[in-house]
Each structure stands twice: as structure tokens, then as C-alpha cells.
Amino acid sequence: MAKMRTPRFKLCRRLGLNVIGHPNAMKRANNGSARDAKKLSAYGVQLLEKQRLRAYYGVMEKQFSIYVKKALRDKEQTGYSLIKRLECRLDNIVYRLGFANSVAQARQMVVHGHFLVNGSKVNIPSFNVNIGDIVSLREKSQKNETFKNNFLSNILNTYSYVDKNESEFSGTLLRYPLRHEVPIEINDSLVVEFYSKLS
């Protein structure tokens, strides 16, 4: 499975944004190494925003461009369509439900077969979760203290578009998230502009 191998804190400092959500990620950020610390052209600003969005979800360039192409074909606003597609990836839903402390950890858990979608084992991080789908931690995996503690300690950190069932160690995608509900600091219109120039 292809994945980003750049050290996570270094990546955040280079992008000038905490894309992994770790509280210590930006501690050494003010050393002038961030790309946005330098004067960027319009193209450079768009490229940086695209790389930030990719890093948020840990998606490689080839797969990311596929998401963009699908979003460009949608009738709704392209930027929102792109965010919605990324947000409904299985690894991200696992993260939003609180089973993992990061998207990277969620991806690893999915790959190792710890989750069921509607009762069936799924180990593909990019699997698309649809409205009404139930994502649950396998019964055997519920004995893992790390997984269990992550889920139960994140009860207050919830999102309105997912419903958590603490007793069943599961969650349901209630609806697609609205753009303002997705907690990422990205100007998605710049990402769309970047790919529009390439097409």
C-alpha cells in the first residue's frame, strides 16, 4: 500500500499548517522553512493548498487526482464535492468516530482488518462509506485497550454527521457533511483552480 513517508512533524512545518492534528507538530515551525514563508506565485499558492489537502487525508497524488476528476464531473460545487469524497473515506470515518488519534493510525487499523462495514470486513482505507453505513470495530479487536480507550475517550469530540454507539463500538454516517462542518483549514477553491489549469 502506497503511503506518505515524510516525517509527519517535518511535513507540517514545510506546509506551514498542522495537517496531522498533533499538538506538538508546529513547535519548531518559525524557522523560515515553511513554503508560505516565502513569496509564492499564484500557481505556487494553489500548489501549496493542494499539497496541504492531500496531506490532511494522507492521499497519494495519483489517487487524489482521481478524486478531483470525479468532483469536477459533479453538478454541485467542485471544492465541496472533493472534500465530501475525501471525508467519506473509511479511514477518515474511523478517525472521525474516534477510534484513532490520526488518519494515519486509522488507515493502519483498517488495513489490519479491525473494522466491519455493515457487518462485512473491509480492509481498504479508500473504501467509500455511504449514508446509513455502519462502521464497527470487530469483536476480537474490542479487546485491544488502545482502540477501546481511543473510542471511549473521544465521546465529546463528535461530529454532527456521524452517530457514535459507545456500547456497540460502532458509528453510522448519518448524512454527508456540510463544508463548514469539516474541520480543515483549506481553501478548496484554490485546489480546484490548480487542477482546472492542468485539464
Side-chain angles (χ1 to χ4, degrees):
M1 178 188 66
K3 62 180 180 179
M4 293 183 177
R5 299 185 181 277
T6 307
R8 296 187 304 154
F9 285 15
K10 184 176 181 180
L11 176 64
C12 291
R13 292 196 298 269
R14 183 161 57 88
L15 295 176
L17 187 68
N18 187 353
V19 294
I20 63 172
H22 195 287
N24 299 325
M26 302 299 286
K27 274 194 172 181
R28 294 165 51 200
N30 299 320
N31 60 1
S33 62
R35 291 184 183 175
D36 62 351
K38 305 172 178 63
K39 186 173 178 60
L40 297 173
S41 64
Y43 174 84
V45 172
Q46 293 166 359
L47 175 63
L48 175 60
E49 208 68 1
K50 183 264 291 187
Q51 290 171 328
R52 284 173 168 175
L53 184 56
R54 269 189 57 215
Y56 258 121
Y57 292 97
V59 179
M60 301 301 287
E61 179 60 37
K62 184 177 180 180
Q63 190 173 41
F64 189 81
S65 64
I66 292 173
Y67 282 118
V68 173
K69 288 176 182 176
K70 289 180 178 179
L72 286 168
R73 291 197 296 265
D74 280 352
K75 294 180 180 179
E76 60 192 351
Q77 187 178 10
T78 303
Y80 168 62
S81 177
L82 174 59
I83 297 294
K84 186 173 71 173
R85 289 176 183 277
L86 292 167
E87 193 68 16
C88 291
R89 286 170 53 97
L90 177 57
D91 55 359
N92 188 71
I93 293 296
V94 166
Y95 172 55
R96 295 292 186 223
L97 286 171
F99 285 109
N101 293 320
S102 67
V103 173
Q105 185 184 41
R107 177 178 291 106
Q108 186 178 50
M109 292 169 68
V110 171
V111 169
H112 289 172
H114 293 292
F115 288 94
L116 306 174
V117 178
N118 298 329
S120 299
K121 179 181 173 182
V122 179
N123 60 2
I124 303 171
S126 62
F127 179 87
N128 182 58
V129 179
N130 293 305
I131 295 174
D133 284 352
I134 300 173
V135 177
S136 56
L137 188 64
R138 291 179 64 190
E139 186 175 353
K140 182 179 178 181
S141 302
Q142 292 175 21
K143 298 175 183 177
N144 184 302
E145 289 298 317
T146 300
F147 302 165
K148 185 164 64 175
N149 291 338
N150 280 348
F151 187 67
L152 296 178
S153 64
N154 274 293
I155 297 303
L156 297 179
N157 186 23
T158 57
Y159 300 88
S160 57
Y161 48 96
V162 293
D163 178 55
K164 293 178 65 165
N165 185 328
E166 294 85 19
S167 61
E168 298 290 334
F169 286 92
S170 67
T172 305
L173 179 64
L174 299 175
R175 57 177 173 79
Y176 293 124
L178 301 175
R179 178 62 185 90
H180 71 271
E181 295 176 313
V182 180
I184 60 173
E185 302 171 41
I186 289 291
N187 185 340
D188 45 76
S189 64
L190 291 177
V191 180
V192 175
E193 288 173 14
F194 174 83
Y195 280 96
S196 296
K197 291 179 179 178
L198 299 179
S199 59

Short mmCIF file of all heavy atoms in Angstrom, two decimals, residues 106-170:
data_model
loop_
_atom_site.label_atom_id
_atom_site.label_comp_id
_atom_site.label_asym_id
_atom_site.label_seq_id
_atom_site.Cartn_x
_atom_site.Cartn_y
_atom_site.Cartn_z
N ALA A 106 -5.65 5.45 11.81
CA ALA A 106 -6.91 4.87 11.34
C ALA A 106 -6.67 4.01 10.10
O ALA A 106 -7.23 2.92 9.97
CB ALA A 106 -7.92 5.98 11.03
N ARG A 107 -5.83 4.51 9.20
CA ARG A 107 -5.53 3.75 7.99
C ARG A 107 -4.89 2.40 8.33
O ARG A 107 -5.24 1.36 7.76
CB ARG A 107 -4.60 4.55 7.07
CG ARG A 107 -4.19 3.78 5.81
CD ARG A 107 -3.32 4.60 4.90
NE ARG A 107 -4.09 5.69 4.31
CZ ARG A 107 -3.99 6.96 4.67
NH1 ARG A 107 -3.12 7.32 5.59
NH2 ARG A 107 -4.73 7.88 4.12
N GLN A 108 -3.96 2.42 9.25
CA GLN A 108 -3.28 1.19 9.66
C GLN A 108 -4.27 0.20 10.27
O GLN A 108 -4.23 -1.00 10.01
CB GLN A 108 -2.17 1.51 10.66
CG GLN A 108 -1.31 0.31 11.03
CD GLN A 108 -0.20 0.68 11.98
OE1 GLN A 108 -0.43 1.33 13.00
NE2 GLN A 108 1.02 0.30 11.65
N MET A 109 -5.18 0.71 11.09
CA MET A 109 -6.18 -0.16 11.72
C MET A 109 -7.08 -0.80 10.66
O MET A 109 -7.42 -1.98 10.76
CB MET A 109 -7.02 0.66 12.70
CG MET A 109 -6.25 1.13 13.94
SD MET A 109 -7.18 2.34 14.93
CE MET A 109 -8.52 1.32 15.55
N VAL A 110 -7.47 -0.02 9.65
CA VAL A 110 -8.32 -0.55 8.58
C VAL A 110 -7.58 -1.62 7.79
O VAL A 110 -8.13 -2.70 7.53
CB VAL A 110 -8.78 0.58 7.63
CG1 VAL A 110 -9.48 0.00 6.41
CG2 VAL A 110 -9.71 1.55 8.36
N VAL A 111 -6.34 -1.34 7.42
CA VAL A 111 -5.54 -2.29 6.64
C VAL A 111 -5.36 -3.60 7.38
O VAL A 111 -5.34 -4.69 6.78
CB VAL A 111 -4.17 -1.67 6.29
CG1 VAL A 111 -3.23 -2.73 5.71
CG2 VAL A 111 -4.34 -0.54 5.28
N HIS A 112 -5.25 -3.53 8.70
CA HIS A 112 -5.06 -4.74 9.50
C HIS A 112 -6.36 -5.48 9.79
O HIS A 112 -6.38 -6.46 10.53
CB HIS A 112 -4.35 -4.39 10.81
CG HIS A 112 -2.92 -4.01 10.62
ND1 HIS A 112 -2.13 -3.50 11.63
CD2 HIS A 112 -2.12 -4.06 9.52
CE1 HIS A 112 -0.92 -3.25 11.17
NE2 HIS A 112 -0.88 -3.60 9.89
N GLY A 113 -7.45 -5.00 9.19
CA GLY A 113 -8.71 -5.74 9.25
C GLY A 113 -9.49 -5.64 10.54
O GLY A 113 -10.21 -6.58 10.91
N HIS A 114 -9.38 -4.51 11.23
CA HIS A 114 -10.06 -4.36 12.52
C HIS A 114 -11.51 -3.88 12.40
O HIS A 114 -12.22 -3.83 13.41
CB HIS A 114 -9.29 -3.39 13.42
CG HIS A 114 -7.95 -3.90 13.86
ND1 HIS A 114 -7.81 -4.96 14.72
CD2 HIS A 114 -6.69 -3.49 13.54
CE1 HIS A 114 -6.52 -5.18 14.94
NE2 HIS A 114 -5.83 -4.32 14.23
N PHE A 115 -11.95 -3.54 11.18
CA PHE A 115 -13.27 -2.94 11.05
C PHE A 115 -14.21 -3.69 10.10
O PHE A 115 -13.78 -4.32 9.14
CB PHE A 115 -13.15 -1.48 10.58
CG PHE A 115 -12.62 -0.59 11.65
CD1 PHE A 115 -11.26 -0.32 11.73
CD2 PHE A 115 -13.47 -0.06 12.62
CE1 PHE A 115 -10.76 0.48 12.74
CE2 PHE A 115 -12.97 0.73 13.63
CZ PHE A 115 -11.61 1.01 13.69
N LEU A 116 -15.49 -3.55 10.42
CA LEU A 116 -16.56 -4.09 9.58
C LEU A 116 -17.40 -2.92 9.08
O LEU A 116 -17.58 -1.93 9.79
CB LEU A 116 -17.46 -5.04 10.38
CG LEU A 116 -16.81 -6.20 11.14
CD1 LEU A 116 -17.86 -6.92 11.98
CD2 LEU A 116 -16.14 -7.16 10.18
N VAL A 117 -17.89 -3.03 7.86
CA VAL A 117 -18.85 -2.07 7.33
C VAL A 117 -20.12 -2.84 7.03
O VAL A 117 -20.11 -3.76 6.20
CB VAL A 117 -18.33 -1.37 6.06
CG1 VAL A 117 -19.39 -0.41 5.53
CG2 VAL A 117 -17.04 -0.61 6.36
N ASN A 118 -21.18 -2.52 7.74
CA ASN A 118 -22.45 -3.25 7.62
C ASN A 118 -22.25 -4.75 7.83
O ASN A 118 -22.87 -5.59 7.16
CB ASN A 118 -23.08 -2.99 6.25
CG ASN A 118 -23.42 -1.52 6.04
OD1 ASN A 118 -23.74 -0.81 6.99
ND2 ASN A 118 -23.34 -1.07 4.80
N GLY A 119 -21.37 -5.09 8.77
CA GLY A 119 -21.16 -6.48 9.14
C GLY A 119 -20.13 -7.23 8.32
O GLY A 119 -19.81 -8.38 8.63
N SER A 120 -19.58 -6.61 7.28
CA SER A 120 -18.60 -7.27 6.43
C SER A 120 -17.22 -6.64 6.62
O SER A 120 -17.10 -5.41 6.69
CB SER A 120 -19.00 -7.16 4.95
OG SER A 120 -20.24 -7.79 4.72
N LYS A 121 -16.21 -7.48 6.69
CA LYS A 121 -14.85 -7.00 6.90
C LYS A 121 -14.38 -6.20 5.68
O LYS A 121 -14.52 -6.63 4.55
CB LYS A 121 -13.90 -8.18 7.13
CG LYS A 121 -12.45 -7.79 7.33
CD LYS A 121 -11.59 -9.02 7.53
CE LYS A 121 -10.11 -8.68 7.56
NZ LYS A 121 -9.27 -9.91 7.73
N VAL A 122 -13.83 -5.02 5.93
CA VAL A 122 -13.28 -4.17 4.87
C VAL A 122 -11.89 -3.71 5.30
O VAL A 122 -11.75 -3.17 6.40
CB VAL A 122 -14.17 -2.94 4.60
CG1 VAL A 122 -13.54 -2.06 3.51
CG2 VAL A 122 -15.57 -3.36 4.19
N ASN A 123 -10.90 -3.95 4.47
CA ASN A 123 -9.53 -3.53 4.83
C ASN A 123 -8.93 -2.58 3.78
O ASN A 123 -7.73 -2.53 3.60
CB ASN A 123 -8.63 -4.76 5.02
CG ASN A 123 -8.53 -5.61 3.76
OD1 ASN A 123 -9.12 -5.29 2.72
ND2 ASN A 123 -7.80 -6.71 3.86
N ILE A 124 -9.81 -1.84 3.12
CA ILE A 124 -9.39 -0.87 2.10
C ILE A 124 -9.63 0.54 2.64
O ILE A 124 -10.79 0.95 2.79
CB ILE A 124 -10.17 -1.07 0.79
CG1 ILE A 124 -9.98 -2.50 0.29
CG2 ILE A 124 -9.72 -0.07 -0.26
CD1 ILE A 124 -10.89 -2.86 -0.88
N PRO A 125 -8.58 1.29 2.95
CA PRO A 125 -8.74 2.63 3.54
C PRO A 125 -9.58 3.58 2.70
O PRO A 125 -10.30 4.42 3.23
CB PRO A 125 -7.30 3.13 3.67
CG PRO A 125 -6.47 1.90 3.74
CD PRO A 125 -7.16 0.91 2.86
N SER A 126 -9.49 3.46 1.36
CA SER A 126 -10.21 4.37 0.48
C SER A 126 -11.66 3.94 0.24
O SER A 126 -12.37 4.61 -0.52
CB SER A 126 -9.49 4.47 -0.87
OG SER A 126 -9.46 3.20 -1.52
N PHE A 127 -12.10 2.87 0.88
CA PHE A 127 -13.49 2.41 0.73
C PHE A 127 -14.44 3.56 1.01
O PHE A 127 -14.31 4.27 2.00
CB PHE A 127 -13.75 1.25 1.69
CG PHE A 127 -15.15 0.71 1.64
CD1 PHE A 127 -15.50 -0.30 0.75
CD2 PHE A 127 -16.13 1.21 2.50
CE1 PHE A 127 -16.80 -0.79 0.71
CE2 PHE A 127 -17.43 0.71 2.47
CZ PHE A 127 -17.75 -0.30 1.56
N ASN A 128 -15.43 3.75 0.13
CA ASN A 128 -16.37 4.85 0.26
C ASN A 128 -17.52 4.48 1.19
O ASN A 128 -18.27 3.54 0.92
CB ASN A 128 -16.92 5.24 -1.11
CG ASN A 128 -17.88 6.41 -1.03
OD1 ASN A 128 -17.51 7.48 -0.57
ND2 ASN A 128 -19.12 6.20 -1.45
N VAL A 129 -17.64 5.21 2.28
CA VAL A 129 -18.72 4.99 3.24
C VAL A 129 -19.92 5.82 2.79
O VAL A 129 -19.82 7.03 2.56
CB VAL A 129 -18.30 5.40 4.66
CG1 VAL A 129 -19.45 5.18 5.65
CG2 VAL A 129 -17.08 4.58 5.11
N ASN A 130 -21.08 5.16 2.67
CA ASN A 130 -22.29 5.82 2.22
C ASN A 130 -23.20 6.15 3.40
O ASN A 130 -23.05 5.59 4.50
CB ASN A 130 -23.05 4.94 1.22
CG ASN A 130 -22.29 4.76 -0.08
OD1 ASN A 130 -21.92 5.73 -0.74
ND2 ASN A 130 -22.03 3.51 -0.46
N ILE A 131 -24.15 7.02 3.17
CA ILE A 131 -25.12 7.38 4.21
C ILE A 131 -25.84 6.12 4.70
O ILE A 131 -26.31 5.32 3.91
CB ILE A 131 -26.14 8.40 3.67
CG1 ILE A 131 -25.45 9.72 3.33
CG2 ILE A 131 -27.25 8.64 4.69
CD1 ILE A 131 -26.36 10.72 2.65
N GLY A 132 -25.88 5.96 6.02
CA GLY A 132 -26.54 4.80 6.61
C GLY A 132 -25.61 3.64 6.89
O GLY A 132 -25.99 2.69 7.60
N ASP A 133 -24.41 3.66 6.34
CA ASP A 133 -23.45 2.57 6.59
C ASP A 133 -23.00 2.58 8.04
O ASP A 133 -22.75 3.63 8.63
CB ASP A 133 -22.22 2.71 5.69
CG ASP A 133 -22.49 2.28 4.26
OD1 ASP A 133 -23.58 1.73 4.00
OD2 ASP A 133 -21.60 2.47 3.40
N ILE A 134 -22.90 1.38 8.61
CA ILE A 134 -22.46 1.22 10.00
C ILE A 134 -21.03 0.70 10.01
O ILE A 134 -20.74 -0.36 9.46
CB ILE A 134 -23.38 0.24 10.76
CG1 ILE A 134 -24.82 0.76 10.78
CG2 ILE A 134 -22.86 0.04 12.19
CD1 ILE A 134 -25.81 -0.23 11.38
N VAL A 135 -20.15 1.47 10.60
CA VAL A 135 -18.74 1.09 10.73
C VAL A 135 -18.52 0.63 12.16
O VAL A 135 -18.79 1.37 13.11
CB VAL A 135 -17.81 2.28 10.41
CG1 VAL A 135 -16.35 1.89 10.61
CG2 VAL A 135 -18.04 2.78 8.99
N SER A 136 -18.08 -0.60 12.33
CA SER A 136 -17.92 -1.15 13.68
C SER A 136 -16.57 -1.82 13.87
O SER A 136 -15.98 -2.35 12.92
CB SER A 136 -19.05 -2.16 13.98
OG SER A 136 -19.07 -3.20 13.01
N LEU A 137 -16.10 -1.77 15.10
CA LEU A 137 -14.86 -2.43 15.47
C LEU A 137 -15.15 -3.91 15.67
O LEU A 137 -16.11 -4.27 16.36
CB LEU A 137 -14.32 -1.81 16.76
CG LEU A 137 -12.93 -2.24 17.23
CD1 LEU A 137 -11.86 -1.82 16.23
CD2 LEU A 137 -12.64 -1.62 18.60
N ARG A 138 -14.35 -4.77 15.04
CA ARG A 138 -14.57 -6.21 15.17
C ARG A 138 -14.56 -6.63 16.63
O ARG A 138 -13.84 -6.06 17.45
CB ARG A 138 -13.49 -6.99 14.41
CG ARG A 138 -13.58 -6.84 12.90
CD ARG A 138 -12.46 -7.60 12.22
NE ARG A 138 -12.57 -9.03 12.45
CZ ARG A 138 -11.62 -9.93 12.14
NH1 ARG A 138 -10.49 -9.50 11.59
NH2 ARG A 138 -11.80 -11.20 12.35
N GLU A 139 -15.37 -7.62 16.97
CA GLU A 139 -15.50 -8.06 18.36
C GLU A 139 -14.14 -8.42 18.95
O GLU A 139 -13.83 -8.06 20.09
CB GLU A 139 -16.45 -9.25 18.43
CG GLU A 139 -16.76 -9.68 19.85
CD GLU A 139 -17.80 -10.78 19.91
OE1 GLU A 139 -18.37 -11.12 18.86
OE2 GLU A 139 -18.04 -11.29 21.02
N LYS A 140 -13.32 -9.12 18.19
CA LYS A 140 -11.99 -9.51 18.67
C LYS A 140 -11.13 -8.28 18.95
O LYS A 140 -10.36 -8.24 19.92
CB LYS A 140 -11.32 -10.41 17.63
CG LYS A 140 -9.95 -10.92 18.04
CD LYS A 140 -9.37 -11.82 16.95
CE LYS A 140 -7.98 -12.30 17.34
NZ LYS A 140 -7.39 -13.17 16.28
N SER A 141 -11.28 -7.25 18.11
CA SER A 141 -10.46 -6.04 18.24
C SER A 141 -10.92 -5.16 19.41
O SER A 141 -10.17 -4.29 19.85
CB SER A 141 -10.51 -5.24 16.94
OG SER A 141 -10.07 -6.02 15.85
N GLN A 142 -12.14 -5.38 19.89
CA GLN A 142 -12.65 -4.59 21.01
C GLN A 142 -11.89 -4.88 22.30
O GLN A 142 -11.97 -4.12 23.27
CB GLN A 142 -14.14 -4.86 21.21
CG GLN A 142 -15.02 -4.34 20.09
CD GLN A 142 -16.49 -4.73 20.25
OE1 GLN A 142 -16.93 -5.05 21.35
NE2 GLN A 142 -17.24 -4.71 19.15
N LYS A 143 -11.14 -5.95 22.31
CA LYS A 143 -10.33 -6.30 23.48
C LYS A 143 -9.03 -5.52 23.52
O LYS A 143 -8.33 -5.52 24.53
CB LYS A 143 -10.04 -7.81 23.48
CG LYS A 143 -11.29 -8.67 23.55
CD LYS A 143 -10.96 -10.15 23.42
CE LYS A 143 -12.24 -11.00 23.42
NZ LYS A 143 -11.95 -12.44 23.22
N ASN A 144 -8.69 -4.86 22.41
CA ASN A 144 -7.48 -4.06 22.35
C ASN A 144 -7.70 -2.77 23.16
O ASN A 144 -8.56 -1.97 22.83
CB ASN A 144 -7.14 -3.73 20.89
CG ASN A 144 -5.84 -2.99 20.73
OD1 ASN A 144 -5.64 -1.92 21.29
ND2 ASN A 144 -4.92 -3.54 19.94
N GLU A 145 -6.92 -2.59 24.22
CA GLU A 145 -7.12 -1.46 25.12
C GLU A 145 -6.93 -0.11 24.42
O GLU A 145 -7.64 0.85 24.71
CB GLU A 145 -6.17 -1.57 26.32
CG GLU A 145 -6.51 -2.68 27.28
CD GLU A 145 -7.89 -2.50 27.92
OE1 GLU A 145 -8.22 -1.36 28.31
OE2 GLU A 145 -8.64 -3.49 28.00
N THR A 146 -5.98 -0.04 23.49
CA THR A 146 -5.73 1.23 22.79
C THR A 146 -6.94 1.64 21.98
O THR A 146 -7.39 2.79 22.04
CB THR A 146 -4.51 1.10 21.86
OG1 THR A 146 -3.36 0.77 22.65
CG2 THR A 146 -4.26 2.40 21.12
N PHE A 147 -7.48 0.71 21.18
CA PHE A 147 -8.65 1.01 20.36
C PHE A 147 -9.83 1.40 21.23
O PHE A 147 -10.55 2.37 20.95
CB PHE A 147 -9.03 -0.19 19.49
CG PHE A 147 -7.95 -0.67 18.57
CD1 PHE A 147 -8.02 -1.91 17.97
CD2 PHE A 147 -6.84 0.12 18.29
CE1 PHE A 147 -7.04 -2.36 17.10
CE2 PHE A 147 -5.85 -0.31 17.44
CZ PHE A 147 -5.95 -1.56 16.84
N LYS A 148 -10.05 0.61 22.30
CA LYS A 148 -11.19 0.84 23.18
C LYS A 148 -11.08 2.19 23.89
O LYS A 148 -12.04 2.97 23.93
CB LYS A 148 -11.27 -0.29 24.22
CG LYS A 148 -12.49 -0.21 25.12
CD LYS A 148 -12.72 -1.52 25.85
CE LYS A 148 -11.58 -1.83 26.81
NZ LYS A 148 -11.87 -3.05 27.61
N ASN A 149 -9.90 2.49 24.39
CA ASN A 149 -9.70 3.76 25.11
C ASN A 149 -9.82 4.96 24.17
O ASN A 149 -10.37 6.00 24.55
CB ASN A 149 -8.34 3.77 25.80
CG ASN A 149 -8.28 2.79 26.97
OD1 ASN A 149 -9.31 2.41 27.52
ND2 ASN A 149 -7.09 2.36 27.34
N ASN A 150 -9.29 4.83 22.96
CA ASN A 150 -9.42 5.91 21.98
C ASN A 150 -10.89 6.24 21.75
O ASN A 150 -11.30 7.40 21.80
CB ASN A 150 -8.80 5.50 20.63
CG ASN A 150 -7.30 5.65 20.60
OD1 ASN A 150 -6.70 6.25 21.49
ND2 ASN A 150 -6.67 5.11 19.58
N PHE A 151 -11.68 5.21 21.51
CA PHE A 151 -13.09 5.40 21.18
C PHE A 151 -13.87 6.00 22.34
O PHE A 151 -14.63 6.96 22.17
CB PHE A 151 -13.70 4.07 20.77
CG PHE A 151 -15.11 4.17 20.25
CD1 PHE A 151 -15.38 4.82 19.05
CD2 PHE A 151 -16.17 3.61 20.94
CE1 PHE A 151 -16.68 4.90 18.55
CE2 PHE A 151 -17.47 3.69 20.46
CZ PHE A 151 -17.72 4.35 19.26
N LEU A 152 -13.67 5.46 23.54
CA LEU A 152 -14.44 5.90 24.70
C LEU A 152 -13.98 7.25 25.24
O LEU A 152 -14.76 7.97 25.86
CB LEU A 152 -14.36 4.85 25.81
CG LEU A 152 -15.01 3.49 25.45
CD1 LEU A 152 -14.84 2.50 26.58
CD2 LEU A 152 -16.48 3.66 25.10
N SER A 153 -12.72 7.62 24.98
CA SER A 153 -12.21 8.91 25.47
C SER A 153 -12.53 10.04 24.51
O SER A 153 -12.30 11.21 24.82
CB SER A 153 -10.70 8.84 25.69
OG SER A 153 -10.02 8.63 24.47
N ASN A 154 -13.07 9.72 23.33
CA ASN A 154 -13.40 10.74 22.34
C ASN A 154 -14.90 10.99 22.25
O ASN A 154 -15.40 11.46 21.23
CB ASN A 154 -12.88 10.32 20.96
CG ASN A 154 -11.44 10.73 20.76
OD1 ASN A 154 -11.12 11.91 20.68
ND2 ASN A 154 -10.56 9.75 20.68
N ILE A 155 -15.62 10.70 23.31
CA ILE A 155 -17.08 10.85 23.30
C ILE A 155 -17.49 12.30 23.06
O ILE A 155 -18.46 12.58 22.35
CB ILE A 155 -17.69 10.34 24.63
CG1 ILE A 155 -17.40 8.84 24.80
CG2 ILE A 155 -19.18 10.60 24.67
CD1 ILE A 155 -17.90 7.97 23.66
N LEU A 156 -16.75 13.25 23.62
CA LEU A 156 -17.12 14.65 23.48
C LEU A 156 -16.67 15.24 22.15
O LEU A 156 -17.18 16.27 21.72
CB LEU A 156 -16.52 15.47 24.64
CG LEU A 156 -17.02 15.09 26.04
CD1 LEU A 156 -16.32 15.94 27.09
CD2 LEU A 156 -18.53 15.27 26.14
N ASN A 157 -15.70 14.60 21.51
CA ASN A 157 -15.18 15.10 20.23
C ASN A 157 -15.97 14.46 19.10
O ASN A 157 -15.48 13.57 18.41
CB ASN A 157 -13.69 14.77 20.12
CG ASN A 157 -13.07 15.39 18.90
OD1 ASN A 157 -13.57 16.37 18.36
ND2 ASN A 157 -11.97 14.82 18.44
N THR A 158 -17.21 14.90 18.93
CA THR A 158 -18.09 14.26 17.95
C THR A 158 -18.45 15.23 16.82
O THR A 158 -18.31 16.45 16.96
CB THR A 158 -19.38 13.77 18.62
OG1 THR A 158 -20.02 14.88 19.27
CG2 THR A 158 -19.07 12.70 19.65
N TYR A 159 -18.92 14.68 15.74
CA TYR A 159 -19.32 15.46 14.57
C TYR A 159 -20.78 15.17 14.28
O TYR A 159 -21.23 14.02 14.41
CB TYR A 159 -18.44 15.09 13.37
CG TYR A 159 -16.97 15.35 13.64
CD1 TYR A 159 -16.17 14.37 14.24
CD2 TYR A 159 -16.38 16.56 13.32
CE1 TYR A 159 -14.83 14.61 14.52
CE2 TYR A 159 -15.05 16.81 13.58
CZ TYR A 159 -14.27 15.83 14.18
OH TYR A 159 -12.96 16.07 14.46
N SER A 160 -21.51 16.18 13.86
CA SER A 160 -22.96 16.05 13.71
C SER A 160 -23.37 15.10 12.59
O SER A 160 -24.50 14.62 12.57
CB SER A 160 -23.60 17.43 13.48
OG SER A 160 -23.03 18.04 12.35
N TYR A 161 -22.46 14.82 11.66
CA TYR A 161 -22.81 13.95 10.53
C TYR A 161 -22.53 12.48 10.79
O TYR A 161 -22.80 11.63 9.95
CB TYR A 161 -22.14 14.42 9.24
CG TYR A 161 -20.66 14.73 9.35
CD1 TYR A 161 -19.70 13.78 9.01
CD2 TYR A 161 -20.22 15.98 9.75
CE1 TYR A 161 -18.35 14.07 9.09
CE2 TYR A 161 -18.87 16.29 9.82
CZ TYR A 161 -17.94 15.33 9.51
OH TYR A 161 -16.60 15.62 9.58
N VAL A 162 -21.96 12.16 11.96
CA VAL A 162 -21.78 10.76 12.33
C VAL A 162 -22.40 10.52 13.71
O VAL A 162 -22.44 11.41 14.55
CB VAL A 162 -20.28 10.34 12.36
CG1 VAL A 162 -19.69 10.36 10.96
CG2 VAL A 162 -19.48 11.23 13.30
N ASP A 163 -22.89 9.32 13.91
CA ASP A 163 -23.51 8.96 15.18
C ASP A 163 -22.71 7.83 15.82
O ASP A 163 -22.48 6.80 15.19
CB ASP A 163 -24.95 8.50 14.96
CG ASP A 163 -25.62 8.08 16.25
OD1 ASP A 163 -25.64 8.88 17.19
OD2 ASP A 163 -26.11 6.93 16.31
N LYS A 164 -22.25 8.04 17.05
CA LYS A 164 -21.45 7.04 17.73
C LYS A 164 -22.32 6.19 18.65
O LYS A 164 -23.20 6.70 19.34
CB LYS A 164 -20.36 7.71 18.56
CG LYS A 164 -19.30 8.40 17.73
CD LYS A 164 -18.25 9.09 18.60
CE LYS A 164 -17.45 8.10 19.41
NZ LYS A 164 -16.23 8.72 19.97
N ASN A 165 -22.06 4.89 18.65
CA ASN A 165 -22.75 3.96 19.54
C ASN A 165 -21.68 3.36 20.44
O ASN A 165 -20.99 2.41 20.05
CB ASN A 165 -23.47 2.89 18.74
CG ASN A 165 -24.31 1.97 19.62
OD1 ASN A 165 -23.96 1.72 20.77
ND2 ASN A 165 -25.40 1.46 19.07
N GLU A 166 -21.54 3.93 21.65
CA GLU A 166 -20.45 3.51 22.53
C GLU A 166 -20.57 2.04 22.95
O GLU A 166 -19.58 1.32 23.04
CB GLU A 166 -20.40 4.40 23.78
CG GLU A 166 -20.03 5.84 23.52
CD GLU A 166 -21.24 6.67 23.12
OE1 GLU A 166 -22.39 6.23 23.38
OE2 GLU A 166 -21.04 7.75 22.52
N SER A 167 -21.77 1.59 23.21
CA SER A 167 -21.95 0.21 23.70
C SER A 167 -21.64 -0.83 22.63
O SER A 167 -21.22 -1.94 22.94
CB SER A 167 -23.39 0.02 24.20
OG SER A 167 -24.33 0.23 23.16
N GLU A 168 -21.83 -0.45 21.35
CA GLU A 168 -21.60 -1.39 20.26
C GLU A 168 -20.25 -1.15 19.57
O GLU A 168 -19.89 -1.87 18.64
CB GLU A 168 -22.71 -1.26 19.21
CG GLU A 168 -24.10 -1.58 19.71
CD GLU A 168 -24.27 -3.08 20.00
OE1 GLU A 168 -23.55 -3.88 19.37
OE2 GLU A 168 -25.10 -3.42 20.86
N PHE A 169 -19.52 -0.16 20.03
CA PHE A 169 -18.23 0.21 19.41
C PHE A 169 -18.41 0.39 17.90
O PHE A 169 -17.69 -0.20 17.10
CB PHE A 169 -17.15 -0.86 19.70
CG PHE A 169 -16.65 -0.81 21.12
CD1 PHE A 169 -17.24 -1.61 22.10
CD2 PHE A 169 -15.62 0.03 21.48
CE1 PHE A 169 -16.80 -1.56 23.42
CE2 PHE A 169 -15.17 0.09 22.79
CZ PHE A 169 -15.76 -0.70 23.77
N SER A 170 -19.37 1.22 17.57
CA SER A 170 -19.69 1.44 16.15
C SER A 170 -20.13 2.87 15.92
O SER A 170 -20.30 3.66 16.86
CB SER A 170 -20.79 0.47 15.70
OG SER A 170 -22.02 0.78 16.34
#
